[in-house]
Each structure stands twice: as C-alpha cells, then as structure tokens.
C-alpha cells in the first residue's frame, strides 16, 4: 500500500497541515480511504491515528469503504419522494442486486439513497458521479444503468 500511496505522499511527508489535501487525493485515486491507508498517512504525515480517523469520518467527501466506479445517488427527499423516487431506488437496487449503500461485487456501481440534494424543482433527481439527471423516470434510469454496464463491458472487451 505504501508504494501505491508514494506518489501522493511525495513532497508532503511530515507536513500534518496537508492532511485533508492528501486524503482528498487518496479518495479520488482509490475511491475510498482504507484502514491501511489511514495508518500510512498517520505515520508519514505525523498526524495521530485517531485524528486521521476523525477527519475521515467527519467529512462526507471521504469514505472508509471504496465506492464503485459509478456512484448513483438517488434523492429520497420529500419532493423526490412525491414524484416517485422510491420505485426508482427499488429499480436500481433490483437491477444491480444490491442494497442501498452497497457496491456491486465488480465495483462498477454504488447506489446511495440520500436526503434532499437541493434541486427539488428537478425532482425526482438521480446524480451519477456528480452529474444531475433531472425528472428521472424508471425507463431513463434503466437506460442509464444499462448504458453504463454496456460501456464497461465494451471497455473490457477492447
Ligand atoms: S427532495 Fe430531492 S432534490 Fe429536494
């Protein structure tokens, strides 16, 4: 693990004030911050282990469990609920055979159910890797998921 983190830690060792910057880079490159990575960061930056854990747990941008390549975030807030977010969530979970908050075994998808994402006029909203998909319907969601599955399969076959 240290070898894979080496490029991120390069020039940042023994600089505890760079903790968040380093964690952001690990999150971006690895999809999450493993307990092993936390230990390495603690040692290399000189930040107590508990402090690194506290920061990782505090900020929503960081996750201990790596997320899938495609993160589907379904808003379950009131406006989205009224406009059909529940059937959308059920559809996504059924298609991917996982539960909310889980990642598919091939690490291709993570499905998250969250509260209002602040775009109620666009309800129901699904966010795919940070891109908002407004006025989502079951047919559009099915198309989105199938398209991403196809894209991944084509990349594997290439
Ligand atoms: S309830 Fe979904 S964006 Fe506000």
């Amino acid at each position: 693990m240290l070898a894979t983190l080496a490029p991120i830690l390069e020039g940042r060792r023994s600089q505890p004030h760079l903790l968040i910057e380093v964690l952001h880079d690990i999150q971006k490159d690895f999809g999450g911050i493993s307990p092993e990575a936390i230990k390495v960061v603690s040692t290399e930056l000189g930040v107590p282990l508990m402090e690194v854990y506290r920061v990782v747990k505090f900020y929503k941008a960081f996750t201990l469990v790596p997320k899938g390549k495609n993160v589907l975030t379904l808003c379950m807030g009131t406006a989205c609920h009224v406009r059909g977010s529940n059937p959308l969530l059920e559809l996504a979970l059924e298609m991917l055979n996982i539960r909310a908050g889980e990642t598919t075994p091939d690490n291709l998808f993570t499905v998250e159910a969250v509260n209002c994402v602040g775009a109620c006029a666009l309800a129901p909203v699904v966010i795919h890797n940070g891109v908002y998909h407004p006025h989502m319907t079951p047919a559009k969601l099915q198309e989105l998921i199938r398209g991403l599955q196809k894209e991944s399969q084509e990349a594997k076959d290439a």
Side-chain angles (χ1 to χ4, degrees):
M1 170 57 92
L2 182 55
T4 58
L5 291 181
I8 291 173
L9 293 167
E10 185 66 39
R12 292 165 157 174
R13 289 186 170 84
S14 304
Q15 299 184 69
H17 64 283
L18 296 180
L19 175 62
I20 290 185
E21 203 175 290
V22 166
L23 292 176
H24 268 295
D25 286 350
I26 296 172
Q27 178 73 43
K28 184 165 61 75
D29 288 1
F30 297 96
I33 303 165
S34 67
E36 193 184 6
I38 287 177
K39 276 188 211 151
V40 172
V41 168
S42 167
T43 306
E44 297 296 324
L45 262 62
V47 178
L49 194 58
M50 287 315 294
E51 177 62 8
V52 183
Y53 266 108
R54 191 193 67 74
V55 170
V56 171
K57 298 279 273 180
F58 181 79
Y59 290 102
K60 283 198 170 151
F62 302 139
T63 53
L64 286 165
V65 179
K67 290 184 181 178
K69 185 177 171 212
N70 297 289
V71 179
L72 294 171
T73 307
L74 282 81
C75 178
M76 306 306 286
T78 306
C80 289
H81 174 76
V82 168
R83 297 199 175 130
S85 59
N86 268 340
L88 292 173
L89 180 63
E90 283 168 21
L91 173 68
L93 298 178
E94 195 184 308
M95 281 182 79
L96 300 170
N97 198 24
I98 55 174
R99 289 180 295 190
E102 288 185 347
T103 298
T104 53
D106 60 1
N107 288 324
L108 193 56
F109 289 96
T110 297
V111 175
E112 301 173 329
V114 300
N115 287 322
C116 181
V117 295
C120 303
L122 308 177
V125 178
V126 172
I127 305 169
H128 168 237
N129 290 354
V131 176
Y132 281 59
H133 292 261
H135 310 299
M136 185 54 83
T137 64
K140 279 161 63 177
L141 183 58
Q142 203 168 34
E143 193 183 327
L144 175 66
I145 293 172
R146 287 212 174 118
L148 293 167
Q149 287 171 323
K150 192 174 164 210
E151 208 174 85
S152 163
Q153 192 54 51
E154 284 169 358
K156 272 189 209 161
D157 294 344

